Amino acid sequence: MAMAKAKDLVATHPVVVFSKSYCPYCVRVKKLLDDLGATFKALELDVESDGSEIQAALAEWTKQRTVPNVFIGGKHIGGCDDTVGLNSQGKLVPLLTEAGAIAASASS
């Protein structure tokens, strides 16, 4: 059930952040996405009744046990360092734009 829920969320949202509300790395990724103007679905695993099951399913699916666990355009990106790293390399915005999470700017 948890795996199906996680995969359904990833399939139906351009960006999904599996998160915990108290996690500073999760807060950093969500703030970065907000600052970039991206629309994203954040699922707070510490608030969800099946959060621990979803985290276990994500660990099985992505081989990543920690949060944040970020997906863009249905692809697993990784955690905070991965997401921030993509941004500093200039690769995050194109991924977000391609996924439909950011409107393509008129200047491009």
Side-chain angles (χ1 to χ4, degrees):
M1 208 48 215
M3 180 72 83
K5 182 176 180 179
K7 289 193 173 188
D8 183 58
L9 281 168
V10 168
T12 55
H13 294 85
V15 180
V16 181
V17 180
F18 293 95
S19 171
K20 290 192 176 169
S21 58
Y22 57 81
C23 164
Y25 300 105
C26 299
V27 170
R28 184 172 175 198
V29 164
K30 291 181 287 188
K31 180 176 180 343
L32 173 62
L33 292 171
D34 274 336
D35 290 349
L36 293 172
T39 51
F40 62 95
K41 169 75 175 165
L43 191 72
E44 304 297 345
L45 298 178
D46 57 319
V47 179
E48 293 290 314
S49 59
D50 56 352
S52 56
E53 289 88 352
I54 292 172
Q55 189 166 7
L58 286 168
E60 186 183 314
W61 182 19
T62 67
K63 309 297 180 239
Q64 177 183 319
R65 178 100 192 115
T66 56
V67 289
N69 206 328
V70 182
F71 289 81
I72 299 174
K75 294 185 199 78
H76 182 243
I77 299 303
C80 179
D81 289 348
D82 304 300
T83 307
V84 171
L86 282 172
N87 189 51
S88 59
Q89 294 166 20
K91 295 178 180 171
L92 186 58
V93 169
L95 276 176
L96 292 168
T97 305
E98 188 183 320
I102 297 179
S105 65
S107 63
S108 59

